[in-house]
Amino acid sequence: MLKQLYIKNFTLIDELNIQFHQGFSVITGETGAGKSIILGAIALLLGQRADSKSIKQGCHKCVVEAHFDLSRYDMREFFLQNDIDYDDTDCIIRREINSNGKSRGFINDQPAAIGLMRELGEHLIDIHSQHQNLLLNKEDFQLNIVDILAKDDDIRQAYRQSYEAYKAAVAQLEALKEEIQKNLQNEDFLRFQTKELEEANLVAGEQEELETLTQMLNHAEEIKSSLYNTSNILIQDDGGLVNSLKEACANLHNIEEVFPEIKEQSQRLEACFIELKDISHDVDRQVDKIDFDPKQLDDANLRLDTIYTLEKKYHAATTEELIEILAELKKRIELFDHSDENLKRQQEIVEKLEATCRQQAAKLSRQRSVAAKKIETELLKRLVPLGIAKARFSILLQEKPLSHDGQDKISFLFSANSTTDMQPISQVASGGEIARVMLSLKAMISGAVKLPTIIFDEIDTGVSGRAAEMMGQIMYEMGLSNRQVISITHLPQIAARGTTHYKVSKEETDMGTISNMKILTTEERVAEIAQMLSGSNITEAAISNAKDLLNIK
């Protein structure tokens, strides 16, 4: 729950440090006193967009900080997953806005992205304003209420997984149909391309081999001449290097016994002789191999022309890429040749997944239907003391095509009396009736969802008298179950039900208009509620009525 709120230099607030308590609290004050400013500051902590205009005039930075007690709500996993220090008795959220428009967020003094603050805020506070009453007209909001009270999270998760698998299979089927249709339109061309590449009998690496061969054949005479000259230099009968080296080796061998120191050089020279002799033989053999063959060169060039033409045509750089293109073409031809089989197989997969999805959807529908009946009964019980004794309420579930949230189309039907046919609630309910329906639903939801703090921002608009008193009682009861409920209200009947009463006021100072908030004492509560009853001219009767509302003797 919210324990403490600190605000500095935010719009009309110079500095505010206020403590909050468990149970049902009320906030009152004249219109324009600054109640919406308090909500705006809390909204910043929940990740709302920051604006430098929110900074108090003449200041360079504003700060909003809140302390929460999470000891009853088991939120450790959220902090562990996001690598944030965890203190369940004092969770601190802070937002700072600078005059340059930049803002920073912190969770337990660690920098935090605004999206993360928003995610955490959804677990901490639910702010219900008058505008949220309009949500009652939205089908997805109505469905969400049913799901919350049906406690169908596991079933919805199972359904969603089935639905995603089904939609993925449908997408694959459509893609397959599209590809087959595309291939059908290009069938002749695909088969021509496949035939052309197959007839080329491409071999990986042959382009490089052919390019090397043509290079050699184009320089055959030059190569042969160089090899022949080299061979002559090595093995010429008179003065050839091999014979000269052989003679030098013999000379050194002859003096090894009388000059032992030359033995190492003799061995090294002999090794050189052996190596040079081998080289000369290899060069001599290469001379015999090299021979200019015009036909072989023509054949190689013709083959390369074929390869180069295909590479240019198919935008490839190597024979390997051409071979890959051929493989892809064959795959597309095979897809066409077996299109009926492939379509049938994918269609069977779709039908199987659709059947599973419909089973899960039906299970979800049954759970929702049971919950809908309970909601109808419970809501009518709550509306009677709220002044709509003749109310009728029904939740209509109609089947719709499978979607991400199931196969149920939800509609809340309502009638405030017994003689008028029920119609969609948005078409027949007044503002006050919608407010009472929403409060009743919130009360029911609060029992199913562990939300630490609920703030009602003038939810009582359009309500008065006994109905207002009962609305206050409902909010009081909501605050009894380890929950914090805060209501911003203009109605004395609701204000009197609060266990803690705050007042927001504004005053003119030399520095301009400032807004303040404080906890009222018992005497101050009497005066505040009396003023709410009779206006600025507080009468003895108003004071007496205020004491009656507060059960003060």
Side-chain angles (χ1 to χ4, degrees):
M1 71 172 191
L2 177 63
K3 297 194 304 180
Q4 179 183 354
L5 180 64
Y6 174 79
I7 305 172
K8 184 175 178 62
N9 299 332
F10 182 71
T11 62
L12 298 181
I13 296 177
D14 184 14
E15 186 171 28
L16 174 68
N17 194 355
I18 194 84
Q19 305 290 323
F20 286 88
H21 304 281
Q22 189 172 311
F24 178 41
S25 300
V26 294
I27 300 175
T28 61
E30 295 179 1
T31 301
K35 299 185 294 297
S36 60
I37 296 175
I38 305 297
L39 281 182
I42 294 174
L44 278 179
L45 296 174
L46 305 184
Q48 181 174 293
R49 181 178 176 274
D51 190 337
S52 59
K53 295 178 181 178
S54 300
I55 301 174
K56 192 174 186 292
Q57 189 173 4
C59 299
H60 300 291
K61 183 174 79 170
C62 76
V63 177
V64 181
E65 180 177 288
H67 294 247
F68 292 87
D69 181 352
L70 308 180
S71 56
R72 295 187 180 93
Y73 299 98
D74 190 23
M75 295 183 62
R76 181 183 298 274
E77 188 62 28
F78 175 88
F79 289 83
L80 290 177
Q81 288 179 355
N82 293 285
D83 195 24
I84 301 174
D85 293 338
Y86 180 63
D87 182 349
D88 61 355
T89 60
D90 190 24
C91 173
I92 306 171
I93 303 179
R94 185 170 73 257
R95 186 88 178 270
E96 300 176 358
I97 306 173
N98 294 313
S99 56
N100 60 9
K102 294 183 178 179
S103 75
R104 297 191 300 166
F106 301 86
I107 300 175
N108 289 338
D109 292 326
Q110 294 178 232
I114 301 304
L116 185 62
M117 295 181 70
R118 188 179 300 115
E119 184 180 352
L120 176 59
E122 290 174 354
H123 296 284
L124 298 179
I125 297 179
D126 174 25
I127 298 179
H128 184 93
S129 65
Q130 298 177 55
H131 301 294
Q132 277 195 304
N133 286 344
L134 300 177
L135 292 175
L136 194 56
N137 305 335
K138 306 295 184 180
E139 181 187 335
D140 56 346
F141 180 77
Q142 296 176 359
L143 181 61
N144 189 45
I145 288 176
V146 173
D147 281 333
I148 289 173
L149 295 173
K151 298 180 179 180
D152 57 12
D153 288 354
D154 292 341
I155 299 176
R156 279 191 296 130
Q157 180 64 23
Y159 168 77
R160 191 171 291 113
Q161 291 176 353
S162 298
Y163 179 74
E164 289 174 356
Y166 163 62
K167 292 300 290 183
V170 169
Q172 290 176 7
L173 178 61
E174 293 305 314
L176 181 61
K177 289 179 179 178
E178 184 177 341
E179 186 172 1
I180 289 172
Q181 183 61 34
K182 182 179 178 181
N183 289 343
L184 274 172
Q185 295 172 356
N186 300 310
E187 180 188 359
D188 292 340
F189 184 57
L190 290 174
R191 292 191 184 277
F192 167 78
Q193 288 181 313
T194 302
K195 182 180 179 182
E196 183 178 46
L197 289 174
E198 283 180 332
E199 290 177 346
N201 293 318
L202 297 167
V203 178
E206 76 168 313
Q207 179 178 338
E208 291 80 2
E209 293 178 3
L210 288 169
E211 288 172 342
T212 300
L213 176 62
T214 57
Q215 184 79 0
M216 183 200 67
L217 291 174
N218 283 324
H219 297 81
E221 292 298 328
E222 179 184 346
I223 295 170
K224 192 174 183 71
S225 177
S226 295
L227 290 173
Y228 181 76
N229 290 335
T230 300
S231 179
N232 283 339
I233 291 171
L234 293 173
I235 58 175
Q236 190 176 11
D237 291 339
D238 296 328
L241 286 177
V242 175
N243 289 332
S244 296
L245 196 56
K246 181 179 180 181
E247 184 177 348
C249 287
N251 289 333
L252 292 182
H253 279 308
N254 290 336
I255 63 173
E256 284 181 358
E257 291 185 5
V258 295
F259 187 48
E261 294 181 11
I262 203 66
K263 189 171 184 178
E264 180 183 350
Q265 287 79 4
S266 176
Q267 291 174 347
R268 290 169 62 189
L269 192 61
E270 185 173 6
C272 291
F273 166 70
I274 295 171
E275 180 67 17
L276 194 59
K277 186 178 179 181
D278 286 343
I279 292 173
S280 67
H281 290 160
D282 290 340
V283 171
D284 196 43
R285 283 194 295 270
Q286 292 292 344
V287 172
D288 295 335
K289 287 183 178 180
I290 299 299
D291 193 13
F292 177 69
D293 185 349
K295 184 178 183 308
Q296 186 180 21
L297 179 59
D298 289 342
D299 290 344
N301 283 328
L302 186 61
R303 181 61 173 169
L304 281 174
D305 285 343
T306 299
I307 293 173
Y308 291 153
T309 300
L310 291 173
E311 287 175 349
K312 184 177 181 180
K313 183 176 182 178
Y314 291 94
H315 306 288
T318 63
T319 51
E320 285 76 14
E321 290 186 18
L322 287 173
I323 292 171
E324 290 177 3
I325 292 171
L326 175 59
E328 181 62 28
L329 288 170
K330 286 183 175 179
K331 187 185 296 183
R332 293 175 67 179
I333 293 294
E334 183 181 0
L335 178 65
F336 169 73
D337 289 340
H338 299 86
S339 59
D340 290 342
E341 299 172 21
N342 293 335
L343 280 175
K344 182 180 179 181
R345 182 164 53 250
Q346 187 62 29
Q347 184 66 47
E348 289 173 351
I349 292 173
V350 168
E351 291 173 356
K352 182 177 180 180
L353 289 173
E354 181 183 4
T356 301
C357 193
R358 290 196 179 280
Q359 289 175 0
Q360 295 286 354
K363 187 176 181 181
L364 182 58
S365 296
R366 288 192 294 272
Q367 185 91 347
R368 287 169 172 169
S369 180
V370 171
K373 296 300 181 184
K374 292 180 180 179
I375 294 171
E376 292 170 353
T377 303
E378 179 67 19
L379 186 66
L380 289 174
K381 287 181 181 178
R382 292 177 179 273
L383 289 178
V384 169
L386 287 174
I388 318 180
K390 303 287 187 178
R392 288 184 295 151
F393 178 80
S394 176
I395 299 177
L396 178 63
L397 276 75
Q398 296 174 299
E399 187 172 334
K400 68 177 183 181
L402 291 174
S403 65
H404 70 281
D405 55 14
Q407 62 180 9
D408 302 308
K409 178 180 174 62
I410 294 286
S411 182
F412 283 7
L413 304 180
F414 177 79
S415 174
N417 54 67
S418 57
T419 58
T420 305
D421 292 338
M422 287 189 292
Q423 297 182 49
I425 192 167
S426 60
Q427 298 178 15
V428 295
S430 66
E433 289 166 346
I434 286 180
R436 281 173 274 185
V437 171
M438 282 296 289
L439 177 61
S440 299
L441 290 172
K442 284 281 183 175
M444 294 163 63
I445 290 172
S446 68
V449 179
K450 289 186 176 181
L451 193 66
T453 301
I454 301 174
I455 300 177
F456 291 108
D457 181 18
E458 299 184 5
I459 192 176
D460 47 40
T461 300
V463 179
S464 60
R466 174 65 178 169
E469 184 178 344
M470 292 308 302
M471 288 182 77
Q473 179 63 25
I474 289 175
M475 286 185 269
Y476 171 79
E477 292 172 357
M478 289 173 65
L480 294 178
S481 305
N482 292 326
R483 190 174 290 104
Q484 183 181 53
V485 179
I486 301 172
S487 176
I488 297 174
T489 182
H490 288 290
L491 297 182
Q493 297 91 335
I494 292 179
R497 297 302 298 149
T499 52
T500 307
H501 191 152
Y502 301 86
K503 180 175 181 179
V504 178
S505 61
K506 65 179 180 180
E507 61 177 310
E508 300 295 333
T509 69
D510 294 339
M511 301 298 292
T513 304
I514 62 173
S515 183
N516 293 306
M517 178 177 177
K518 70 172 186 175
I519 299 178
L520 300 183
T521 64
T522 300
E523 292 76 13
E524 289 171 333
R525 288 193 73 183
V526 172
E528 174 68 7
I529 292 176
Q531 186 175 11
M532 295 172 73
L533 287 165
S534 64
S536 58
N537 184 21
I538 301 176
T539 63
E540 288 297 327
I543 291 176
S544 177
N545 286 339
K547 288 182 178 180
D548 287 341
L549 286 174
L550 291 167
N551 290 322
I552 296 175
K553 302 300 182 183

